[in-house]
Amino acid sequence: MIIFKKKAIFTALCASLVTSMATAEQVELTIASFPNFNKAAEAAAPLFEKQYPNIKLKFVNMAYSDHHNAMTTAMATGANLPDVMGVEANFIGRFAESGGLEQLNAAPYNAGEFTQKIVPFTLGQATDSDGALRAMPADIGPGALFYRKDVLEIAGVTEEELIKDWDSFIQAGVKVKAKTGNYLIANATDIKNIYIRSELKEGEGIYFDKEHNILVNTPRFKEAFRLSKVARDAGIDGKISPWTNEWTEGLKRGTISVQMMGAWLGGHLQDWIAPDDAGKWRSADLPNGSFASWGGSFFAIPAKAEHKAEAWEFIKFMSTNKEVQLLAFKEINAFPSLIEAQTCPMFDEEIAYLGGQKARLQWKKAALKIPFVAMDRYDEVARQIVDDALEQVLEHDADIDKVLADAEKQIKRRARRR
C-alpha cells in the first residue's frame, strides 16, 4: 500500500511538471548590451534557451556610448526599457546610485548566496552607497602591463626596470626612446589612469569617498598628475588617444612599446590589433607593486522591467555558471568574475602569443589584490573634468594645484544634486 501511494504521488508530481512545462508562458526576454560584451551573451544564448525553453532571448545592441545614453534615457522615461541591462564599469556607479535598478541582494533575488563565489572587489563596484547590490558582475578587468619584449631588449631595458617604481618606469622610457626612437606609452594620461586607481584605501572610491566627499584635490591625484607631466616632458609618450587608428597602428608596429590596461587587452592584441606579433608581447604586473581594476561588465534588472523573474534566471546563468563564464572568456577574453571559473586548467596553460607565459595566473593573483572600490553616480562626470584638468597641465603647463582645485569646484557644482 505504501509503495502504491509513493507511486501515485510520484506520478501526480510528474504529471503536474509536464502540465506546467506544456502550459508555461513563452517569454521574450530583451537583453540590451554593447560591443563586445554582447558577444558573450549571444554565444551563451543557445545553452540558455535549451535550459529554459519557455524563454526566447532578444538582443538589442548599440555602440558603447549610445547604449549607455539610451539606458539613461530609458530609466528616466520608463520607455524602451529592456529586461536585462548590460553596464560597463565606467557607468556602473551612475546606474547603481540611480534608484532605477532592482536590489539583487534582497528577496526575491537573494544574490547574497552567490557573492562569496565572486571576486570581492567587483561587488563593491556594483553596490550603492546604501549597501544594495544593484548589478551582478559578469567579467572583470585586473590591470596589467603589456610590453614589446623585442623592443625593450634592443633598448637594454629589463622587465624589472619597467615595473620597479614609477620613476624607474619613466627612465626606462627615456632609454627606449633614445635607443629605438619608439615611444614607451601611447599617452602620458595612461600613468594618471593607473595611478589614481591603484593607490586606493579599501572601500574608497576613485573620485569620491563613501560620504560622497570629492577626492580629486588630494596627494593621490597630485602625484598622478606630476608623474604624467614628467613623462610628457621626457618625450616618452606619443600623445595618442586609445582606440584610435593611430593607437592600434602604433601597437601593431611596436612604436608604442608598453600599454597598461585590463588583462582583456591581451585578447585584443592577439585577435585583431597585432595578430602577426605572436611571441613579441609579454604581460607584467603594474609598476610600483600596484594593483588596479581596469574595465569590467555587469548585468542589471531595471526596476520597471517586464520580466524580472526570467531576467534573474538569465543573469544567474551568465554570472554564476562556471561553464558559461569560461565560454565568455574564450569568446571575448572576458576575464571571469566567478572564482570557481578561475580554477579551470586553462588558467595554467602557457599563452603562445605572450611567449609562453602563464599570464592568466598572473592576472588571477592581481585580481585578488585589488581593493574593494566604491563607485559613485558622478564618477563619469568627475572623470571627464579630471581628464580636462590634466590636459591643461600636459598641453599648457598649467599649475597642478590650481587645476585640481578648480576641478574639485566643478565637480562639486555638477554633483550638488544627489
Side-chain angles (χ1 to χ4, degrees), residues 40-275:
E42 290 171 6
L47 299 173
F48 179 81
E49 290 178 345
K50 183 177 181 181
Q51 186 168 328
Y52 298 90
N54 64 315
I55 303 175
K56 180 70 175 176
L57 301 181
K58 176 186 177 183
F59 293 97
V60 179
N61 304 317
M62 301 177 74
Y64 175 80
S65 295
D66 293 340
H67 162 76
H68 290 95
N69 289 336
M71 292 302 99
T72 300
T73 302
M75 289 176 66
T77 63
N80 300 316
L81 273 171
D83 297 303
V84 177
M85 177 190 298
V87 184
E88 202 273 340
N90 281 334
F91 290 87
I92 191 63
R94 178 198 295 182
F95 288 117
E97 292 286 352
S98 70
L101 299 177
E102 287 288 275
Q103 182 177 347
L104 300 181
N105 55 344
Y109 308 106
N110 301 313
E113 66 177 287
F114 303 108
T115 52
Q116 293 297 319
K117 302 176 181 179
I118 294 173
V119 175
F121 83 84
T122 192
L123 292 167
Q125 295 175 307
T127 301
D128 69 16
S129 53
D130 294 325
L133 183 69
R134 298 294 179 178
M136 281 291 280
D139 61 70
I140 60 174
L145 181 150
F146 293 90
Y147 68 91
R148 279 284 296 258
K149 185 173 185 292
D150 55 332
V151 175
L152 264 61
E153 284 179 346
I154 294 172
V157 172
T158 66
E159 181 180 301
E160 184 181 0
E161 288 179 81
L162 199 60
I163 66 173
K164 179 184 175 185
D165 55 43
W166 287 108
D167 290 335
S168 180
F169 177 80
I170 293 171
Q171 285 307 308
V174 172
K175 283 187 181 180
V176 169
K177 187 70 186 298
K179 293 284 186 178
T180 70
N182 293 348
Y183 297 114
L184 184 72
I185 50 178
N187 200 300
T189 58
D190 291 354
I191 295 177
K192 180 271 294 179
N193 288 335
I194 292 297
Y195 194 92
I196 64 173
R197 286 168 171 78
S198 61
E199 302 296 328
L200 297 172
K201 299 173 184 175
E202 188 76 17
E204 187 176 76
I206 297 171
Y207 303 100
F208 301 86
D209 66 14
K210 292 179 181 176
E211 284 72 43
H212 308 300
N213 296 307
I214 302 166
L215 301 174
V216 303
N217 193 14
T218 60
R220 174 161 55 92
F221 279 82
K222 290 179 181 179
E223 181 64 4
F225 274 41
R226 184 191 73 80
L227 289 169
S228 297
K229 178 61 172 168
V230 171
R232 172 61 56 86
D233 290 346
I236 66 170
D237 79 313
K239 304 180 183 178
I240 298 168
S241 298
W243 308 111
T244 60
N245 290 337
E246 191 177 8
W247 180 73
T248 55
E249 195 64 23
L251 293 174
K252 183 182 297 181
R253 294 178 180 275
T255 52
I256 299 171
S257 312
V258 168
Q259 184 64 57
M260 295 176 285
M261 272 192 176
W264 39 262
L265 179 63
H268 289 296
L269 288 170
Q270 179 176 340
D271 292 343
W272 64 274
I273 295 176

Side-chain angles (χ1 to χ4, degrees), residues 299-373:
F299 286 117
I301 304 174
K304 295 179 181 179
E306 185 177 358
H307 304 296
K308 296 179 184 178
E310 292 83 359
W312 179 233
E313 292 303 325
F314 175 77
I315 291 175
K316 284 192 295 181
F317 188 79
M318 295 299 300
S319 296
T320 68
N321 184 306
K322 177 182 174 182
E323 283 68 33
V324 174
Q325 284 267 295
L326 291 173
L327 176 64
F329 192 26
K330 292 173 183 174
E331 190 70 22
I332 62 167
N333 289 290
F335 202 86
S337 54
L338 186 69
I339 296 172
E340 183 186 8
Q342 298 178 7
T343 63
C344 171
M346 176 183 176
F347 277 74
D348 294 324
E349 295 176 359
E350 297 178 348
I351 301 177
Y353 187 81
L354 297 176
Q357 278 187 300
K358 294 185 177 181
R360 297 184 186 104
L361 293 178
Q362 175 193 106
W363 303 331
K364 175 182 172 181
K365 290 178 182 175
L368 294 176
K369 293 182 179 179
I370 296 171
F372 188 99
V373 180

